[in-house]
Amino acid sequence: MPAQQVVIGVDSSTQSAKAAFVDAATGRTLAVGRAPHQVGGEGGARESDPEVWWYALREAVSAGLKESGLPASAVTGIAVAGQQHGLVVLDRAGRPVRPALLWNDTRSAPQAAALTEALGGPDAWTARTGSVPVASMTAAKWQWLRENEPRAAEAAAAVRLPHDFLTERLAGTAATDPGDASGTCWYSTATGAYDPEILHLIGLDADSLPPVAATGAVRIGSLTDTAAADLGLPAGIAVAAGTGDNMAAAVGLGLGGAGLLDHPALSLGTSGTVFAASRTRPASPGLAGFAAADGTYLPLACTLNCTLAVDKIATLLGLGRDAAEAGGEVVLLPYLDGERTPDLPAASGLLTGLRHTTTRQQLLGAAYEGAVVTVLRALDEVLRACGLDPADEEVAARPLRLVGGGTKGRHWVETVRRLSGRPLLIPQSGELVALGAAALAAGAATGEDPVALASSWGGGAVELPPVERDMATWERVTAVLKKAAPTLLA
């Protein structure tokens, strides 16, 4: 038995794989290995070869092991947290039939709308799955595949999510967890199982889907000899069921049944994501009513246009991302990739309020404001799903945990602070998804509760007190959004 017990948490995101080597006793991150992914597609298409995810995971683990200086024998468990909603179709040999359709592939918007009506409308879906089909959901992508590439759909012997695909490569055993499964729209958060009527509706055989483990921390198997040789790790170490990236971030923040409930978090990344762990099962058509990785629920709203969209505006203006000022009269809704919340999959960006006196810096600031107001409006819906009133003084005073790459940008942080009026907590751990996955790996190896583990690990956070809320900007952007939403379809 090695003196130091180490677990690996893998964050397999849209753009890259990160493997965090974490001391299971203290939560200290010892090393983080990284490797890029490749995303292709034009227009609404966004695709990746799943085999590239596996090669990137191997590279990331190898780099992390080298950086840590640890013997491979110190590693006792591994878990994968992956980008949600992606559709991976495999042949009988377990190889991809075609590139995976990613969460931000919007080609399936017509299929999402048709599925919504076919089951009886938004309320019927939320009653069963907690979520209404939108272009990002896996059920809509599967339906798109059936209609547009029937041969690929017919060749699919197995259907997986991105994290399922990688977990199966590690353990040689098919498995998923309630958290990631709840992002498919064919798993019922009401029953805790795949919904047979929905599977019949979309022509999907339940036998092609992985079994659902009780939680993401369940040990679903051991690292196979083949995977161990590929990764340079000991065969037989614990492999957890893993989960989706948002669920893992919640674990890393200590949100869940053994930690904080009904406390909001906002992630500033390629997408803007807001969520809170709750014992209240969400059933609001305006958000995703996910399950959490620990058996609670994770009401969540996601916007497509966040840091990537604002960076694009900065590039067009020839400015650095922090060379921004408050937008003044200008309103810019940076819906460059369509939008998921509100559900406008074919939307394009909108700019209004230009004057002769408008500066480039104000235009960039308006892009920040448009993105932040959009995601904060979604946050109010998440709080309502937890049974809370966003206007209640006690609720409004709860700190907003701010995570993601955007937290490294001064103007992102200040815009969220100014438009939310909330105190902010910015965790110092820069890899919360990987840290949450590491807690799941530790839970699989030791049997301990992963949320309690992550809470005990701590890690510290930067605390920013609230400032007076900028209601003038809030109301100006909101008014434009409400008025323009019906016309934002390209």
Side-chain angles (χ1 to χ4, degrees):
M1 183 78 67
Q4 187 175 33
Q5 303 290 307
V6 176
V7 289
I8 300 174
V10 177
D11 173 9
S12 183
S13 70
T14 312
Q15 302 293 337
S16 67
K18 286 166 275 191
F21 287 67
V22 176
D23 186 308
T26 66
R28 186 166 68 93
T29 299
L30 306 171
V32 180
R34 295 173 172 83
H37 288 163
Q38 297 173 1
V39 179
E42 298 179 352
R46 296 291 185 274
E47 299 183 348
S48 287
D49 180 357
E51 294 292 350
V52 171
W53 300 337
W54 177 248
Y55 298 141
L57 189 155
R58 290 168 53 183
E59 288 182 31
V61 168
S62 176
L65 194 61
K66 182 177 180 179
E67 179 187 331
S68 72
L70 293 166
S73 59
V75 178
T76 60
I78 187 169
V80 175
Q83 54 177 303
Q84 286 191 256
H85 310 308
L87 176 67
V88 181
V89 288
L90 306 176
D91 62 20
R92 296 190 180 281
R95 301 296 175 184
V97 171
R98 70 175 313 286
L101 300 175
L102 303 185
W103 65 275
N104 53 350
D105 189 313
T106 58
R107 289 175 292 177
S108 52
Q111 288 73 27
L115 286 176
T116 300
E117 294 308 311
L119 197 66
D123 290 340
W125 280 92
T126 55
R128 289 170 177 263
T129 71
S131 303
V132 179
V134 291
S136 59
M137 297 292 186
T138 323
K141 297 184 186 306
W142 170 253
Q143 194 71 355
W144 180 91
L145 192 71
R146 291 180 71 203
E147 294 176 13
N148 291 274
E149 299 181 12
R151 290 186 178 179
E154 291 167 5
V159 175
R160 301 289 186 262
L161 295 166
H163 117 262
D164 303 340
F165 171 77
L166 294 172
T167 301
E168 191 169 1
R169 284 285 177 93
L170 294 171
T173 302
T176 191
D177 87 300
D180 212 10
S182 66
T184 61
C185 268
W186 59 60
Y187 172 89
S188 171
T189 56
T191 65
Y194 295 127
D195 189 304
E197 184 176 346
I198 292 175
L199 292 180
H200 178 73
L201 175 67
I202 61 177
L204 187 59
D205 188 343
D207 291 340
S208 67
L209 300 175
V212 183
T215 74
V218 168
R219 178 173 182 158
I220 55 95
S222 302
L223 193 66
T224 66
D225 291 342
T226 300
D230 280 351
L231 299 174
L233 297 175
I237 64 172
V239 178
T243 193
D245 52 4
N246 292 300
M247 294 78 192
V251 173
L253 287 167
L255 304 182
L260 292 169
L261 290 167
D262 303 323
H263 278 245
L266 191 161
S267 177
L268 298 169
T270 302
S271 60
T273 306
V274 284
F275 56 88
S278 181
R279 293 198 189 281
T280 302
R281 177 181 173 268
S284 167
L287 51 78
F290 293 143
D294 74 328
T296 57
Y297 297 100
L298 198 74
L300 179 148
C302 177
T303 66
L304 287 183
N305 298 278
C306 196
T307 60
L308 194 63
V310 173
D311 282 352
K312 177 63 174 180
I313 300 297
T315 299
L316 290 173
L317 294 170
L319 295 173
R321 62 180 61 176
D322 275 331
E325 299 174 359
E329 294 183 64
V330 178
V331 173
L332 201 169
L333 300 179
Y335 298 168
L336 308 187
D337 283 317
E339 189 44 79
R340 170 173 167 176
T341 307
D343 185 19
L344 299 166
S348 55
L350 177 70
L351 174 64
T352 184
L354 280 174
R355 300 287 186 185
H356 281 292
T357 55
T358 302
T359 67
R360 291 183 300 154
Q361 289 77 11
Q362 287 174 321
L363 284 176
L364 181 55
Y368 278 97
E369 291 166 355
V372 169
V373 167
T374 300
V375 75
L376 288 177
R377 282 171 54 83
L379 175 60
D380 286 347
E381 187 68 21
V382 168
L383 293 172
R384 293 187 190 100
C386 294
L388 303 174
D389 179 359
D392 180 87
E393 289 186 8
E394 188 276 329
V395 174
R398 292 184 183 181
L400 180 59
R401 284 158 176 79
L402 196 62
V403 301
T407 60
K408 298 175 184 177
R410 174 185 56 80
H411 204 80
W412 274 114
V413 173
E414 290 306 315
T415 305
V416 172
R417 194 179 181 203
R418 172 167 58 92
L419 292 175
S420 71
R422 288 177 175 272
L424 302 184
L425 287 176
I426 305 177
Q428 292 189 297
S429 173
E431 302 295 347
L432 277 172
V433 172
L435 185 67
L440 295 175
T446 66
E448 294 186 58
D449 184 291
V451 175
L453 267 175
S455 298
S456 72
W457 289 347
V462 174
E463 300 183 29
L464 298 177
V467 295
E468 184 177 357
R469 192 175 185 188
D470 181 357
M471 292 304 299
T473 298
W474 176 271
E475 291 170 358
R476 182 169 56 252
V477 176
T478 297
V480 170
L481 176 56
K482 288 181 177 179
K483 185 177 181 180
T487 67
L488 280 174
L489 300 181

